[in-house]
Amino acid sequence: MRKKTATRSQRAPRRTDSLSRELIIQTAIELLDSRGESALTLRALTVRLSTGYGAIYHHVADKSDLLAAATDDIITRVLSGAGMDTDPRETLRHLALGLFDAIDAHPWVGAELSRQPWRPALLDFYESIARLLDALAIPERSRFDAAGTLMNYVLGVAVQNAANARRLADSDTDRATFLDTAAAQWAQVNPSRYPFVHAAAAQLREHDDREQFLAGVDIFLTGIAALRQSSES
Amino acid sequence: MRKKTATRSQRAPRRTDSLSRELIIQTAIELLDSRGESALTLRALTVRLSTGYGAIYHHVADKSDLLAAATDDIITRVLSGAGMDTDPRETLRHLALGLFDAIDAHPWVGAELSRQPWRPALLDFYESIARLLDALAIPERSRFDAAGTLMNYVLGVAVQNAANARRLADSDTDRATFLDTAAAQWAQVNPSRYPFVHAAAAQLREHDDREQFLAGVDIFLTGIAALRQSSES
DNA sequence: ACCTGAACACCGTTCAAGT
DNA sequence: ACCTGAACACCGTTCAAGT
């Protein structure tokens, strides 16, 4: 009560329109996208929304609920934009790239997915994958493992790529110099003990994460095709 | 200074032998293994080690340095135990399973690897993979992408599996009931909109993560084998 | 050189109190 | 029903001071 009148004049004005869960989630996404994971604090949210802690907790269970909701929002947005191509293989590539790019653009989504890999929003992704594998004539018996493997691969790479993106954002070096120093480290490794790492240093500098990701999808698709043959017993 | 004599009698006795970075790391691993990621606090370390904050910071840069060192320790331990089989494919499977099992046993390693995917300790893993791909006659041109894809897949799955293991450890349900409830959710999904998810529910309940992981490794190995043929131009 | 531990600058979360 | 914001129970990290 003491200095109340003094502090009140300095306090930010409260909002007049009412708060909503949706508004809180969108504000959280803005914060995460613009200033990174560590910028999402309850404090920052109260400031941005001109409100108090309790107001936020009235619409959202806790911070992890908020992070999960924000993640669902991004994923749903990506998947709804994914069209169906005529060629199943091509559609699968586009689908995988869509998730890859989305997580690259919102690295915090990668971190959250690595904490909670099975969000309901990913059901659509799984469904699409299974449908396309069916179109590729993968027998039902193998489909479960194949779909699971592709899910794992796509999410796994995206998550790791996001970790790199976050580290790049934290430091002040750009991707080129980052790869240069990494490649330099690989090149300095003892060539007799690590011949292959040593030899790969040059390719590390030149490689494109997105292309390598796609190369992996293609390896998977080739491997999958063999499941079709071997099942014709 | 006030209640100093009063509190001193209740204070835990200080250690007499000297602290070391190694001892701190091992204690951190014990804490992480027995009580999970959230149990590793500087406070808990001072108690377990009968020392003060400054003593720990004298041997370790900060908490993330400590977590990284603990992770390196586990990974190095796993890789040093991996033997070389006569069949390269079999060796590759063992290698992948070794990392999978290690991260399953120490889920916090998975979380840390998803934050810092390129720890030096993983160089050995990469080297082994590349060497085995060479033994499988994968042409040099394709080896970089193939090795990267395999690394990504193995780490990706292990990390996600670790996330599940952590969530299971946090809650009080066991794996069987967890899968049952997940499968029940999948089964309740709208069958006309999600026919494949709906159909996969039964397999979800019965599947074994470790076996599905191996099935994925085989898919990739099959796909990689095809790189050998297509390069004979 | 190695260690101590109070103090600092943060967190997420709660809850009596207001409208 | 919806919101306020002081207070609580934690964090990791620092640093003057000790041996």
mmCIF file of all heavy atoms in Angstrom, chain B residues 11 14 19 51-52 54 59, chain C residues 1-7:
data_model
loop_
_atom_site.group_PDB
_atom_site.id
_atom_site.type_symbol
_atom_site.label_atom_id
_atom_site.label_comp_id
_atom_site.label_asym_id
_atom_site.label_seq_id
_atom_site.Cartn_x
_atom_site.Cartn_y
_atom_site.Cartn_z
ATOM 1 N N ARG B 11 25.440 -27.682 10.065
ATOM 2 C CA ARG B 11 25.964 -27.752 8.716
ATOM 3 C C ARG B 11 26.632 -29.100 8.467
ATOM 4 O O ARG B 11 27.305 -29.649 9.339
ATOM 5 C CB ARG B 11 26.969 -26.623 8.517
ATOM 6 C CG ARG B 11 27.158 -26.262 7.089
ATOM 7 C CD ARG B 11 27.309 -24.758 6.897
ATOM 8 N NE ARG B 11 28.374 -24.205 7.707
ATOM 9 C CZ ARG B 11 28.454 -22.910 7.984
ATOM 10 N NH1 ARG B 11 27.530 -22.085 7.568
ATOM 11 N NH2 ARG B 11 29.433 -22.440 8.710
ATOM 12 N N ARG B 14 32.422 -30.488 5.863
ATOM 13 C CA ARG B 14 33.058 -30.322 4.558
ATOM 14 C C ARG B 14 33.924 -31.528 4.250
ATOM 15 O O ARG B 14 34.407 -32.214 5.139
ATOM 16 C CB ARG B 14 33.930 -29.061 4.536
ATOM 17 C CG ARG B 14 33.203 -27.766 4.782
ATOM 18 C CD ARG B 14 32.319 -27.367 3.637
ATOM 19 N NE ARG B 14 30.979 -27.943 3.754
ATOM 20 C CZ ARG B 14 29.903 -27.455 3.184
ATOM 21 N NH1 ARG B 14 29.974 -26.394 2.451
ATOM 22 N NH2 ARG B 14 28.725 -28.043 3.305
ATOM 23 N N LEU B 19 38.481 -31.863 -4.343
ATOM 24 C CA LEU B 19 37.493 -32.055 -5.393
ATOM 25 C C LEU B 19 38.216 -32.183 -6.739
ATOM 26 O O LEU B 19 39.373 -31.809 -6.865
ATOM 27 C CB LEU B 19 36.609 -30.810 -5.413
ATOM 28 C CG LEU B 19 35.171 -30.915 -5.872
ATOM 29 C CD1 LEU B 19 34.452 -32.019 -5.147
ATOM 30 C CD2 LEU B 19 34.477 -29.591 -5.628
ATOM 31 N N THR B 51 30.267 -29.680 -0.366
ATOM 32 C CA THR B 51 31.118 -28.540 -0.705
ATOM 33 C C THR B 51 30.258 -27.313 -0.997
ATOM 34 O O THR B 51 29.050 -27.325 -0.739
ATOM 35 C CB THR B 51 32.008 -28.884 -1.920
ATOM 36 O OG1 THR B 51 32.906 -27.831 -2.153
ATOM 37 C CG2 THR B 51 31.167 -29.129 -3.152
ATOM 38 N N GLY B 52 30.872 -26.259 -1.504
ATOM 39 C CA GLY B 52 30.139 -25.037 -1.797
ATOM 40 C C GLY B 52 30.022 -24.795 -3.283
ATOM 41 O O GLY B 52 30.580 -25.537 -4.094
ATOM 42 N N GLY B 54 31.210 -22.284 -5.136
ATOM 43 C CA GLY B 54 32.455 -21.837 -5.745
ATOM 44 C C GLY B 54 33.389 -22.986 -6.058
ATOM 45 O O GLY B 54 34.103 -22.958 -7.070
ATOM 46 N N HIS B 59 35.974 -25.925 -10.986
ATOM 47 C CA HIS B 59 36.370 -27.046 -11.843
ATOM 48 C C HIS B 59 35.558 -27.129 -13.125
ATOM 49 O O HIS B 59 35.923 -27.845 -14.060
ATOM 50 C CB HIS B 59 36.202 -28.359 -11.073
ATOM 51 C CG HIS B 59 37.129 -28.496 -9.906
ATOM 52 N ND1 HIS B 59 38.430 -28.917 -10.032
ATOM 53 C CD2 HIS B 59 36.955 -28.240 -8.592
ATOM 54 C CE1 HIS B 59 39.015 -28.939 -8.840
ATOM 55 N NE2 HIS B 59 38.138 -28.522 -7.949
ATOM 56 P P DA C 1 47.383 -19.771 -8.737
ATOM 57 O OP1 DA C 1 46.952 -19.572 -10.006
ATOM 58 O OP2 DA C 1 48.207 -19.111 -7.853
ATOM 59 O "O5'" DA C 1 46.815 -21.119 -8.099
ATOM 60 C "C5'" DA C 1 47.470 -22.359 -8.268
ATOM 61 C "C4'" DA C 1 46.812 -23.377 -7.370
ATOM 62 O "O4'" DA C 1 46.611 -22.793 -6.062
ATOM 63 C "C3'" DA C 1 45.450 -23.851 -7.845
ATOM 64 O "O3'" DA C 1 45.307 -25.221 -7.456
ATOM 65 C "C2'" DA C 1 44.482 -22.946 -7.087
ATOM 66 C "C1'" DA C 1 45.216 -22.750 -5.774
ATOM 67 N N9 DA C 1 44.964 -21.429 -5.160
ATOM 68 C C8 DA C 1 44.976 -20.224 -5.783
ATOM 69 N N7 DA C 1 44.738 -19.215 -4.979
ATOM 70 C C5 DA C 1 44.553 -19.806 -3.737
ATOM 71 C C6 DA C 1 44.260 -19.280 -2.468
ATOM 72 N N6 DA C 1 44.113 -17.969 -2.231
ATOM 73 N N1 DA C 1 44.136 -20.152 -1.444
ATOM 74 C C2 DA C 1 44.302 -21.447 -1.689
ATOM 75 N N3 DA C 1 44.589 -22.064 -2.851
ATOM 76 C C4 DA C 1 44.687 -21.174 -3.839
ATOM 77 P P DC C 2 44.044 -26.082 -7.910
ATOM 78 O OP1 DC C 2 44.409 -27.517 -7.921
ATOM 79 O OP2 DC C 2 43.502 -25.450 -9.128
ATOM 80 O "O5'" DC C 2 43.039 -25.835 -6.711
ATOM 81 C "C5'" DC C 2 43.243 -26.526 -5.482
ATOM 82 C "C4'" DC C 2 42.281 -25.985 -4.470
ATOM 83 O "O4'" DC C 2 42.432 -24.557 -4.373
ATOM 84 C "C3'" DC C 2 40.798 -26.201 -4.825
ATOM 85 O "O3'" DC C 2 40.293 -27.198 -3.952
ATOM 86 C "C2'" DC C 2 40.149 -24.827 -4.626
ATOM 87 C "C1'" DC C 2 41.220 -24.050 -3.870
ATOM 88 N N1 DC C 2 41.216 -22.575 -4.063
ATOM 89 C C2 DC C 2 40.982 -21.737 -2.964
ATOM 90 O O2 DC C 2 40.772 -22.242 -1.859
ATOM 91 N N3 DC C 2 40.982 -20.384 -3.149
ATOM 92 C C4 DC C 2 41.214 -19.876 -4.364
ATOM 93 N N4 DC C 2 41.214 -18.548 -4.483
ATOM 94 C C5 DC C 2 41.465 -20.721 -5.490
ATOM 95 C C6 DC C 2 41.464 -22.047 -5.301
ATOM 96 P P DC C 3 38.841 -27.763 -4.112
ATOM 97 O OP1 DC C 3 38.740 -29.085 -3.492
ATOM 98 O OP2 DC C 3 38.437 -27.557 -5.516
ATOM 99 O "O5'" DC C 3 38.050 -26.744 -3.195
ATOM 100 C "C5'" DC C 3 38.344 -26.721 -1.804
ATOM 101 C "C4'" DC C 3 37.723 -25.519 -1.166
ATOM 102 O "O4'" DC C 3 38.112 -24.335 -1.880
ATOM 103 C "C3'" DC C 3 36.187 -25.470 -1.164
ATOM 104 O "O3'" DC C 3 35.746 -25.857 0.123
ATOM 105 C "C2'" DC C 3 35.846 -24.021 -1.523
ATOM 106 C "C1'" DC C 3 37.212 -23.331 -1.469
ATOM 107 N N1 DC C 3 37.348 -22.137 -2.347
ATOM 108 C C2 DC C 3 37.150 -20.869 -1.814
ATOM 109 O O2 DC C 3 36.832 -20.755 -0.627
ATOM 110 N N3 DC C 3 37.294 -19.779 -2.611
ATOM 111 C C4 DC C 3 37.643 -19.932 -3.901
ATOM 112 N N4 DC C 3 37.782 -18.835 -4.651
ATOM 113 C C5 DC C 3 37.867 -21.225 -4.464
ATOM 114 C C6 DC C 3 37.713 -22.292 -3.665
ATOM 115 P P DT C 4 34.192 -25.985 0.409
ATOM 116 O OP1 DT C 4 34.046 -26.922 1.529
ATOM 117 O OP2 DT C 4 33.494 -26.222 -0.863
ATOM 118 O "O5'" DT C 4 33.812 -24.540 0.928
ATOM 119 C "C5'" DT C 4 34.288 -24.082 2.207
ATOM 120 C "C4'" DT C 4 33.670 -22.739 2.522
ATOM 121 O "O4'" DT C 4 34.106 -21.806 1.520
ATOM 122 C "C3'" DT C 4 32.145 -22.741 2.481
ATOM 123 O "O3'" DT C 4 31.655 -22.484 3.771
ATOM 124 C "C2'" DT C 4 31.786 -21.653 1.467
ATOM 125 C "C1'" DT C 4 33.077 -20.863 1.320
ATOM 126 N N1 DT C 4 33.323 -20.272 -0.018
ATOM 127 C C2 DT C 4 33.316 -18.901 -0.143
ATOM 128 O O2 DT C 4 33.099 -18.141 0.765
ATOM 129 N N3 DT C 4 33.573 -18.448 -1.428
ATOM 130 C C4 DT C 4 33.851 -19.217 -2.556
ATOM 131 O O4 DT C 4 34.076 -18.694 -3.634
ATOM 132 C C5 DT C 4 33.843 -20.637 -2.341
ATOM 133 C C7 DT C 4 34.115 -21.564 -3.477
ATOM 134 C C6 DT C 4 33.583 -21.098 -1.099
ATOM 135 P P DG C 5 30.213 -22.992 4.173
ATOM 136 O OP1 DG C 5 30.260 -23.110 5.649
ATOM 137 O OP2 DG C 5 29.814 -24.135 3.345
ATOM 138 O "O5'" DG C 5 29.289 -21.744 3.790
ATOM 139 C "C5'" DG C 5 29.688 -20.451 4.202
ATOM 140 C "C4'" DG C 5 28.840 -19.411 3.509
ATOM 141 O "O4'" DG C 5 29.372 -19.154 2.190
ATOM 142 C "C3'" DG C 5 27.371 -19.787 3.278
ATOM 143 O "O3'" DG C 5 26.592 -18.603 3.353
ATOM 144 C "C2'" DG C 5 27.379 -20.298 1.851
ATOM 145 C "C1'" DG C 5 28.323 -19.287 1.244
ATOM 146 N N9 DG C 5 28.898 -19.666 -0.026
ATOM 147 C C8 DG C 5 28.976 -20.917 -0.578
ATOM 148 N N7 DG C 5 29.558 -20.929 -1.752
ATOM 149 C C5 DG C 5 29.887 -19.605 -1.992
ATOM 150 C C6 DG C 5 30.521 -18.998 -3.097
ATOM 151 O O6 DG C 5 30.950 -19.541 -4.118
ATOM 152 N N1 DG C 5 30.666 -17.627 -2.930
ATOM 153 C C2 DG C 5 30.227 -16.917 -1.831
ATOM 154 N N2 DG C 5 30.443 -15.618 -1.834
ATOM 155 N N3 DG C 5 29.631 -17.483 -0.783
ATOM 156 C C4 DG C 5 29.490 -18.811 -0.938
ATOM 157 P P DA C 6 25.377 -18.541 4.375
ATOM 158 O OP1 DA C 6 25.871 -18.890 5.723
ATOM 159 O OP2 DA C 6 24.240 -19.266 3.785
ATOM 160 O "O5'" DA C 6 25.073 -16.986 4.349
ATOM 161 C "C5'" DA C 6 26.102 -16.056 4.703
ATOM 162 C "C4'" DA C 6 26.113 -14.879 3.734
ATOM 163 O "O4'" DA C 6 26.622 -15.297 2.439
ATOM 164 C "C3'" DA C 6 24.740 -14.253 3.466
ATOM 165 O "O3'" DA C 6 24.915 -12.840 3.411
ATOM 166 C "C2'" DA C 6 24.338 -14.840 2.119
ATOM 167 C "C1'" DA C 6 25.684 -14.970 1.418
ATOM 168 N N9 DA C 6 25.760 -16.044 0.422
ATOM 169 C C8 DA C 6 25.327 -17.335 0.556
ATOM 170 N N7 DA C 6 25.561 -18.080 -0.506
ATOM 171 C C5 DA C 6 26.186 -17.226 -1.389
ATOM 172 C C6 DA C 6 26.687 -17.409 -2.691
ATOM 173 N N6 DA C 6 26.642 -18.566 -3.354
ATOM 174 N N1 DA C 6 27.252 -16.345 -3.298
ATOM 175 C C2 DA C 6 27.311 -15.175 -2.624
ATOM 176 N N3 DA C 6 26.883 -14.880 -1.404
ATOM 177 C C4 DA C 6 26.318 -15.961 -0.828
ATOM 178 P P DA C 7 23.624 -11.879 3.142
ATOM 179 O OP1 DA C 7 23.912 -10.619 3.853
ATOM 180 O OP2 DA C 7 22.386 -12.652 3.406
ATOM 181 O "O5'" DA C 7 23.705 -11.590 1.571
ATOM 182 C "C5'" DA C 7 24.946 -11.155 1.030
ATOM 183 C "C4'" DA C 7 24.777 -10.908 -0.464
ATOM 184 O "O4'" DA C 7 24.906 -12.151 -1.187
ATOM 185 C "C3'" DA C 7 23.415 -10.309 -0.857
ATOM 186 O "O3'" DA C 7 23.632 -9.255 -1.781
ATOM 187 C "C2'" DA C 7 22.683 -11.490 -1.486
ATOM 188 C "C1'" DA C 7 23.838 -12.279 -2.105
ATOM 189 N N9 DA C 7 23.566 -13.711 -2.274
ATOM 190 C C8 DA C 7 22.914 -14.555 -1.406
ATOM 191 N N7 DA C 7 22.832 -15.802 -1.829
ATOM 192 C C5 DA C 7 23.481 -15.774 -3.054
ATOM 193 C C6 DA C 7 23.734 -16.774 -4.009
ATOM 194 N N6 DA C 7 23.353 -18.052 -3.869
ATOM 195 N N1 DA C 7 24.398 -16.408 -5.120
ATOM 196 C C2 DA C 7 24.775 -15.126 -5.262
ATOM 197 N N3 DA C 7 24.594 -14.094 -4.434
ATOM 198 C C4 DA C 7 23.942 -14.491 -3.343
#
